[in-house]
Amino acid sequence: MSSETDVLSEAAAWRKSGKGVALATVVTTWGSSPRPVGSQLAVDDKGKFVGSVSGGCIEGAVIKEAIEAISDGRPRLLDFGVSNEQAWEVGLACGGKVQVYVEKLG
Amino acid sequence: MKTATLEKLQAARAAKTPVALATNLRSGQQLLIYGGSTEGDLCLDMDMVVAAGDALRRDEHVRFSTPVGELFVQVFNPPPRLIIVGAVHIAEPLARMGELAGYGVTVIDPRRGFAESQKFEGFAVMGDWPDEAMGALKPDSRTAVVTLTHDPKLDDPALAAAMRSKAFYIGALGSKKTHAARLGRLKELGFNDTELARIHGPVGLDIGALSPAEIAVSIVGEITQVRRNGAA
């Protein structure tokens, strides 16, 4: 296995230790995007995370949704588009668009 | 994702069994798709299962629109492999960088003392002769082979085995002069120009690399170029 952090294994270990865990996966990208389709981010119920779904631009918003998914159990499909001044926190500065699927584990 | 699905996915990955995970992005229902079987609570038409199998073979995640919702198929293939022939100085940074780039690395060197070197702790190391080791490893279309020994007795059989395989990248360390002599020897073994042209020699991108680590950067760079952009 590669020495790059194995997100799924980490998520499975968190789950096994009894934590609430959600998994976010990049399912579509348009234009320039920092992480390819299939990139994953695991989040626990305290907001601790491993992996990435962007270069750091949208992780904050994804983590917030992931924590909600852990509590309500519903999967969600999130869209992130071109950023602007007002929506800096949830935008991609590179001008690309990504769609991220967030699901609760277990 | 259900716990059972996660556990089965992890088991398949640990066993290096190719598996695809299909997810209905609306309902969250999922199906694991193996070569010949499926497992999970998502019902899929046979043609979708076949399409997912194709995605697995192409090693490409895919997205489908179906009447019951958007479908995402994530493929989990075992990591691509990097076979390094010669447990020499350059092999150490090459093995480490190859691993960082996501490759499962194996180092082959039958010479006493080389393969046992502490430098390769944590990597798969084989002390067999390259032709035997290559026979056991069976390089495929997701395998890169790099020879580093400069010794024809070791490099040539490994390169011959690599050319008989579908390895996506074959590289041989050595100067232009060394490489020309090598091609001459391999030609005598019956390899034609098309087959010989698969060998990248001198190995690596021409970035003026001098130190072992820099040479490893140039080799991993070239392997990446071939893997992502196709053969030049």
Side-chain angles (χ1 to χ4, degrees):
Chain A
M1 194 50 59
S2 134
S3 61
E4 190 181 342
T5 310
D6 188 288
V7 176
L8 267 182
S9 301
E10 194 74 18
W14 286 352
R15 193 69 204 96
K16 218 161 200 167
S17 72
K19 289 177 181 170
V21 183
L23 187 66
T25 306
V26 176
V27 294
T28 319
T29 64
W30 295 267
S32 156
S33 61
R35 298 284 287 131
V37 168
S39 301
Q40 293 185 311
L41 172 78
V43 182
D44 79 3
D45 42 18
K46 299 278 193 300
K48 185 180 168 192
F49 66 96
V50 289
S52 65
V53 288
S54 78
C57 329
I58 60 170
E59 269 73 4
V62 171
I63 289 162
K64 188 167 157 276
E65 291 282 343
I67 292 169
E68 281 172 27
I70 292 168
S71 76
D72 69 20
R74 282 190 307 107
R76 27 223 347 119
L77 194 55
L78 313 173
D79 284 288
F80 297 95
V82 183
S83 73
N84 57 41
E85 294 288 330
Q86 286 76 36
W88 175 252
E89 289 88 349
V90 290
L92 288 164
C94 53
K97 287 199 279 182
V98 298
Q99 201 167 42
V100 178
Y101 178 72
V102 179
E103 64 190 314
K104 181 183 181 179
L105 294 186
Chain B
M1 190 186 300
K2 290 182 173 168
T3 304
T5 306
L6 177 61
E7 281 171 359
K8 279 170 186 149
L9 175 59
Q10 287 293 87
R13 292 174 69 221
K16 303 202 170 182
T17 305
V19 60
L21 174 70
T23 303
N24 181 315
L25 298 178
R26 191 189 295 165
S27 69
Q29 287 173 310
Q30 292 177 314
L31 189 69
L32 288 169
I33 300 158
Y34 305 89
S37 61
T38 62
E39 211 164 5
D41 61 359
L42 173 65
C43 286
L44 277 189
D45 287 341
M46 204 51 218
D47 54 345
M48 278 291 138
V49 174
V50 171
D54 286 343
L56 199 53
R57 272 184 293 281
R58 289 198 315 274
D59 198 25
E60 224 174 69
H61 311 301
V62 282
R63 178 89 183 257
F64 298 108
S65 289
T66 76
V68 292
E70 289 288 305
L71 201 68
F72 178 64
V73 177
Q74 183 162 18
V75 299
F76 295 90
N77 274 308
R81 293 183 291 164
L82 168 62
I83 298 174
I84 300 172
V85 179
V88 297
H89 196 177
I90 290 166
E92 185 198 357
L94 181 58
R96 286 163 58 189
M97 288 180 199
E99 186 183 46
L100 277 175
Y103 292 83
V105 178
T106 303
V107 180
I108 301 170
D109 202 318
R111 295 170 296 182
R112 189 172 280 275
F114 279 77
E116 287 88 10
S117 161
Q118 290 299 311
K119 290 183 294 194
F120 299 103
E121 215 168 348
F123 290 102
V125 176
M126 296 175 82
D128 306 288
W129 284 88
D131 47 349
E132 288 165 13
M134 293 290 277
L137 291 170
K138 297 183 179 56
D140 59 18
S141 60
R142 300 179 68 246
T143 307
V145 180
V146 178
T147 63
L148 300 175
T149 73
H150 287 107
D151 181 346
K153 284 198 305 298
L154 300 171
D155 283 354
D156 289 7
L159 292 169
M163 281 189 287
R164 287 188 202 103
S165 79
K166 288 190 170 150
F168 75 90
Y169 177 91
I170 307 171
L173 186 72
S175 67
K176 285 199 175 93
K177 201 174 145 199
T178 308
H179 191 58
R182 173 186 295 134
L183 293 181
R185 289 192 307 273
L186 290 168
K187 207 163 195 170
E188 277 175 28
L189 291 178
F191 290 100
N192 63 37
D193 290 342
T194 315
E195 290 167 320
L196 295 172
R198 289 175 63 198
I199 304 175
H200 294 260
V203 72
L205 298 176
D206 187 4
I207 55 172
L210 285 177
S211 71
E214 289 172 352
I215 293 166
V217 166
S218 84
I219 296 173
V220 173
E222 187 168 58
I223 293 173
T224 307
Q225 185 182 51
V226 172
R227 179 164 181 229
R228 300 301 187 192
N229 290 346

